Amino acid sequence: MTSASAPEPRAPKPALIFDDPLDQQSSDDTDRGWGERPGPDGDAAADLKRFLDEKPPHHL
């Protein structure tokens, strides 16, 4: 017969947090990332390029 080895120690379970999740700000609560493009502000050529890039296909 083989001898049973000692069980390996388990990783501790994460603690339960009972805070109100609505008190925390999510990434959707900010304006960051909504249509922003890097570049200089007030550039008319860049605005036109963005308009033409994002124009729906039925506006061709």
Side-chain angles (χ1 to χ4, degrees):
M1 290 185 135
T2 61
S3 62
S5 61
E8 295 182 19
R10 295 184 188 179
K13 292 183 179 179
L16 295 176
I17 301 173
F18 293 101
D19 292 340
D20 185 3
L22 298 178
D23 286 341
Q24 302 170 3
Q25 186 178 34
S26 71
S27 60
D28 290 344
D29 293 337
T30 64
D31 291 334
R32 188 177 64 213
W34 288 91
E36 295 176 356
R37 290 193 177 196
D41 292 334
D43 185 10
D47 289 342
L48 178 61
K49 181 177 181 337
R50 179 179 177 186
F51 171 76
L52 294 174
D53 287 344
E54 295 181 0
K55 185 170 49 169
H58 61 273
H59 283 249
L60 294 177

